Amino acid sequence: MKSYRPLVPGFIQKLDEKLLRNKPVTWSARTHLVIYFASIFIFLLALLCFFSFTEAKSFSNIETWAGFTALISFIGFIIWLIFLLRFNVFKRFGRWFEWDGLKTFGLYFINISLMVGATFVPAAIESFNANKQFSNEEIVKDINELNVNAVKLEYNQLPLEWKADTFLLRDKMPSYEVPVDNPESVTIARSGNSRYYYMDTVIMRDKLAGADSVIRLSDSLYVFYKCPEYTFTTSYNADAYTPLKQLTSKDIYYREIRNFKPVDRQPLIDRMNQLKEKYAVKRYYESESYTDMQDKTYDFKIRSKYSLISINNGIENIVRKKYRWKESTGWQFRFFFYTTLFFTLLVFIFRHTTARTFFLSLLSVVILMILTALFGVIFNYRETGLFSLMLFYYIVLAIITLTIKWAKKRNVIQGIALNIVLFFTPFLPLFLTAMYFEFRRVNSYADPDYSTYQDTYPWYLGAEIGGFILFLILLQPVFRRLYRKWYALPED
C-alpha cells in the first residue's frame, strides 16, 4: 500500500517509495523530506524577514527572531526524531552495505545542519537589506560631512588650543606621572603646571604612531600635542572595507578650522536636517535635551543641537548589520558546525545503542565532570592537571571500548565507554593542542623560543579540521563495527 504525504509533490513521494524499496538506510533518515520541508520554511522565513527589515538604521531585534526560528527548528527536530525512531535498520539487523555507517552519519548531519542553519536566516537577510540600502563609501562620506558641517556651523564655540603633554623616555620604566621639580626647564604651550610622564620604549612607539603632533626636545624628551575633539559622529569600523576613510579631528582642524572662513549657514542646516532624516533613530529611553542638561561641554551641546546622538545610533546600527558576517564569520560558523555536530553525534549514538545504555552514558559524563571538578578543588589542579586527568579518562575508556572485540556477552560498561569515546573523538586533536600549548605556557620561563608560538590560531584551526577528518576515517571501520559487534552480543 502506497503512503500518501500531504503537501508533498508527486516526484518526492515516488522517490520516497523507491528509497524504501531499495535503500532502506537512506530512506529511514528521511533526508529527502527534510530538505523539501526545510527549503520551504527557509524560503518563507527569508521572505518574511526581507519585508520586515525595511529600516536598516533601526535597532536590531535579531535575537528575538533567532530565538523564534530556533524554537520552530527544534519542533521540526522533534518531529523528525519521531519519524526517525519508527524504523531502525541497524537494530533490526537489516541489510547493510559497506559504507552505510558513514552515509548514515552524513545524512543525519545534513538534516540537522538545515535545522540549525535556519536560525541564521534572519541575520543574513538583515545584513543583505542593510548592504542593499547603504553602500560602504556612502556612510563614510556622510559621517565626514556631518562632522565638517557641525564644525562650520559651530566654529565660535569650538576650542582651538591643542593640549600638550611632556614625556620623558626611560627604558623599562612604569608609565606613571611624576611632577617636575623645575617646571620652567621645559617650555610648553599650555597653562598650568607642567608635568613629565615617564614612558618606556614600547609604549612610546605606540604613542608616536597615534600622535596628532610631536616635538622632540632631546633624545629622551618629547612633547605630544593632542588636537581638540571635532569628530562628533563616528563609527569605529565604518571605513574598514572602503578606501575612503573617516576624517580625524586633526584632519578637520587643518582642512576647516586652521584657515576658517565664514559660511552660508542655511544650506548647511538644511543638509544636516536631510542627514538627520536619513540616519537618526532614538532609543526609547534616550533624550537629546536630557543629555544636554547633564553635560555642558561643547561637544555634547553640538551633538544635542543637531541630533548627532540619534544619527550616530542609526549609523552604528547600519554598520553593525552590514559588517556582521565580515567581522564574526569564524565564531558564527563554529556555532553552526559544533551545534550540528553535537546533535548529530547524539542521534547517531542513540540509533546504534540501547536506550538504557544511551542515558547511562549521559549520566556517566555528568558524573565524570563532577568528579573532575572535585579533584580540581581538592588537589588544586591547574589547567595542565585537569587536561591530564581528562586524557586519562579517554585512554581508559578507549581501552574498555577495544575489549568489545573479544567480548562474549553485551556489557553495559563497554557500551557506555564506546558511546563516550565516539562522542569525544572529533575533539581529541583540539584537546591535545590546547593541552600542548598550556604546557608550553606553564614552562615558558624555561623556553626562550616560546614567544614564537603565541600565534596559535592556525594550530587550533588545523586541530579542528583534523579532528573531524579523524572521526570520519574511524567511523566506518572502527566505530560502526564495534557497535555492530556489541549490539549483536547476547545480553547478560
Side-chain angles (χ1 to χ4, degrees), residues 87-99:
F87 182 71
N88 192 328
V89 179
F90 175 82
K91 291 185 178 181
R92 296 190 181 185
F93 301 99
R95 185 180 179 187
W96 274 68
F97 296 95
E98 182 63 28
W99 298 101

Side-chain angles (χ1 to χ4, degrees), residues 152-167:
K152 290 179 178 179
L153 289 169
E154 301 300 326
Y155 174 80
N156 292 332
Q157 64 171 309
L158 296 177
L160 304 179
E161 184 179 359
W162 290 33
K163 179 183 178 181
D165 288 313
T166 305
F167 291 86

Side-chain angles (χ1 to χ4, degrees), residues 1 78 186 226 252 278 298 302 354 359 367 407 425 449 472:
M1 180 178 178
I78 297 300
V186 178
K226 177 67 176 176
I252 295 174
K278 184 176 182 180
Y298 75 97
I302 294 173
T354 63
F359 289 107
I367 293 174
T425 294
D449 296 326
L472 294 180

Side-chain angles (χ1 to χ4, degrees), residues 24 27-28 31 42 175 185 237 242 271 310 313 318 366 402 413 427:
W27 174 84
S28 66
T31 303
I42 290 173
S175 175
S185 63
N237 61 344
T242 173
R271 179 56 179 162
S310 296
N313 285 337
I318 295 167
V366 173
L402 292 176
I413 295 178
F427 310 100

Side-chain angles (χ1 to χ4, degrees), residues 457-470:
Y457 177 77
W459 295 88
Y460 282 108
L461 180 61
E464 289 177 298
I465 298 172
F468 189 65
I469 295 175
L470 174 66

